[in-house]
Amino acid sequence: MKNREKPWKYEHIAELITEITAEDECNDTYGRERMHTALKLKYPNENIPSESTVYRIMEDLGINHTFNRKPKGITKADREARKSDDLLKRNFSAEKPCEKCVTDITEIPAKDGKLYVSAIFDCFDAFVLGLSMDDNMRAELCVRTLKDACKGYPEMRKAIIHSDRGSQYTSEKYRVAIGDFGILQSMNRQEEDVMITHGVRVCGRV
């Protein structure tokens, strides 16, 4: 009985998880990995517990989702292409703007086909630094996003930009663009869909 009367150790984290799921109806489908990443991105100053602990909290809240299969990523890895090291090592927090960034492509179904949206997010506050759209997902789309971000935020030079191992990000065109802007490239260690940019709702910088 005494233990039941004690406040829940993870009450505050549970409140943060509930806030994230309430922001958008799509957020209710987050799994443990995406929710853990969302917490670290949205609340960088909070002491976020491990992914397994977040999983248990989600179970207690009744919002945990288990998938029967691994979700198919939009970008496809080129196994022959040279990969970059994982410079972030799952540490998606940043002490200042334009220090660490993450990028990915999102597919949006439309009546006359598909729209592909490429975005670059700032790990400091999830602010959208660059955005491009097209009816295809070739490397040029990612290059335009990079140019858009660097044009609006020149301080991105020497920043780290993190992505999956999709062929767009391992392409020569993208690597040349990154080199031109003096940006350091970082990639996931595994060829899987772990898109961190889906872990937060787009927000403005204060």
Side-chain angles (χ1 to χ4, degrees), residues 18-30:
T18 302
E19 287 180 12
I20 290 176
T21 57
E23 286 182 345
D24 193 294
E25 59 183 11
C26 296
N27 293 7
D28 188 48
T29 64
Y30 283 0

Side-chain angles (χ1 to χ4, degrees), residues 77-187:
D78 180 353
R79 297 185 182 275
E80 301 299 322
R82 179 170 62 89
K83 310 299 189 301
S84 295
D85 293 335
D86 181 3
L87 302 180
L88 297 190
K89 302 186 186 306
R90 301 183 65 82
N91 179 11
F92 299 117
S93 60
E95 296 182 357
K96 59 183 180 180
C98 297
E99 180 181 40
K100 299 177 184 177
C101 309
V102 293
T103 184
D104 194 25
I105 302 174
T106 298
E107 178 185 284
I108 302 176
K111 285 186 177 181
D112 55 349
K114 295 179 179 179
L115 178 67
Y116 295 95
V117 181
S118 170
I120 296 177
F121 293 78
D122 194 334
C123 288
F124 178 70
D125 56 5
F127 184 75
V128 180
L129 298 171
L131 191 69
S132 294
M133 294 176 283
D134 211 328
D135 59 2
N136 65 78
M137 50 186 290
R138 291 190 286 269
E140 289 82 354
L141 174 63
C142 301
V143 171
R144 289 204 310 271
T145 310
L146 188 64
K147 290 181 177 179
D148 178 59
C150 291
K151 181 180 179 180
Y153 302 91
E155 59 269 34
M156 272 189 63
R157 287 184 177 275
K158 297 184 179 181
I160 296 175
I161 187 165
H162 186 83
S163 70
D164 59 24
R165 297 188 176 193
S167 59
Q168 296 88 345
Y169 303 115
T170 58
S171 68
E172 184 66 19
K173 290 182 179 179
Y174 190 75
R175 288 187 181 277
V176 168
I178 280 184
D180 289 344
F181 289 110
I183 293 174
L184 300 177
Q185 187 173 30
S186 172
M187 288 183 175

